[in-house]
Amino acid sequence: MAKYHKPMSSPTLDHLLTRRSVSANSLTGPGPSEGELQQILTAAARVPDHKKLVPWRFVLFQGASRDAFGAVLAEVCQAEEPDAGTFRLETEAKRFLRAPLVITVISRITQPSVVPEWEQMLSAGAACQNLIVTASALGFGAQWITEWYAYSEGVRAALKLADNERVAGFVYIGTSKEKPEERDRPKLSDIVTSWQR
Ligand SMILES: Cc1cc2nc3c(=O)[nH]c(=O)nc-3n(C[C@H](O)[C@H](O)[C@H](O)COP(=O)(O)O)c2cc1C
C-alpha cells in the first residue's frame, strides 16, 4: 500500500534535529516579508486542535506598534514595581524593539467543552512551537519568551485579553546576528522508558 505521508525530506529532519532558539537580544532586521509571515502564521494555525476549538489567536507587533507597546510596558512596570529605576524603565520601553516582529500567542479556552482546558492550553503551546520552527526553517532567528509581562495584570489589560484568555508566549522573530552555540540536551536514556506491567 502506498504511504499516505511522503517521507520527511532530509532538510526538514535536519532542521528538527538541530534547531536552536536565538536570544531576542541577538536579533535584528530584516524580519519576514508579508508572504513569509503568512506562511509562519498558517503553520501555527495548523497545530493539533481537538474538536477544532481554535484555542489560540495571534497579535502582531511590527513597526511603530513595538515602540508604542514598549511605552505601555514601561508604564505598567512603574505601576507594578514602584522601585523600578530609570535603567529598568528604559529597558522595558525598548523590549519589543529587539526584533522586527513579535507575535503574541494568546491561549483562549472554550468552556464548557468536552476538551479539557489542559488540552486547549497544550494546543497553544504547539502553536508557539510551530511559529519558531517555521520562522527558523525560513532562515530567521526566533525565540519564545514569556518574561514578566506575560503574567502582568496591567499588560493583560493593555492586550485587551478576555477572561478566558492568557498569554502563551511572545515569539520574537528576526535576523540572527550570530549563530547560537549548541545547547546541552537531555540524554534520551534519562527521559525515555518502555512501559512494563
Ligand atoms: C513557555 C516558555 C516560556 C519561555 N520564556 C522564556 C523567557 O522568558 N526568557 C528566556 O530567556 N527564555 C524563555 N524560554 C526558553 C526559550 O524559548 C528557549 O527554549 C531557550 O532560549 C533555549 O533555546 P532552545 O529552544 O534552542 O532550546 C521559554 C520557553 C518556554 C517553552
Side-chain angles (χ1 to χ4, degrees):
M1 203 162 68
K3 275 189 182 165
Y4 173 69
H5 286 289
K6 282 189 287 189
M8 210 180 233
S9 66
S10 96
T12 309
L13 190 53
D14 283 351
H15 181 54
L16 289 173
L17 292 174
T18 58
R19 179 208 63 80
R20 274 252 38 215
S21 295
V22 176
S23 160
N25 291 326
S26 298
L27 294 175
T28 185
S33 66
E34 187 52 37
E36 288 168 327
L37 175 58
Q38 293 307 311
Q39 287 183 307
I40 291 167
L41 293 168
T42 302
R46 209 184 164 92
V47 291
D49 170 10
H50 195 175
K51 298 280 184 204
K52 292 194 272 191
L53 295 177
V54 194
W56 19 259
R57 63 184 179 91
F58 309 110
V59 179
L60 308 183
F61 291 87
Q62 292 170 285
S65 71
R66 296 168 307 146
D67 210 14
F69 196 69
V72 169
L73 290 180
E75 276 167 34
V76 173
C77 176
Q78 188 153 46
E80 294 182 357
E81 295 180 50
D83 292 341
T86 311
F87 178 77
R88 172 73 193 280
L89 296 177
E90 282 172 3
T91 302
E92 299 308 340
K94 289 191 214 134
R95 274 211 192 271
F96 271 32
L97 298 178
R98 289 179 291 178
L101 169 66
V102 182
I103 304 178
T104 304
V105 178
I106 300 184
S107 149
R108 51 177 191 182
I109 304 299
T110 298
Q111 267 179 337
S113 170
V114 292
V115 181
E117 186 174 327
W118 167 237
E119 292 186 16
Q120 298 184 45
M121 288 180 183
L122 289 172
S123 183
C128 293
Q129 180 66 6
N130 264 17
L131 287 178
I132 62 169
V133 167
T134 311
S136 50
L138 287 168
F140 295 98
Q143 191 180 30
W144 173 0
I145 278 177
T146 44
E147 295 181 322
W148 66 273
Y149 42 96
Y151 303 103
S152 150
E153 284 302 320
V155 174
R156 266 190 78 82
L159 288 168
K160 303 186 182 75
L161 299 192
D163 288 346
N164 66 332
E165 294 184 321
R166 67 192 289 189
V167 171
F170 297 99
V171 177
Y172 286 66
I173 298 174
T175 297
S176 180
K177 288 190 257 189
E178 59 205 5
K179 188 176 180 319
E181 283 175 14
E182 192 36 37
R183 187 182 212 235
D184 285 344
R185 304 291 164 176
K187 277 200 294 193
L188 292 184
S189 57
D190 288 341
I191 55 167
V192 180
T193 52
S194 294
W195 186 81
Q196 285 174 330
R197 194 157 185 188

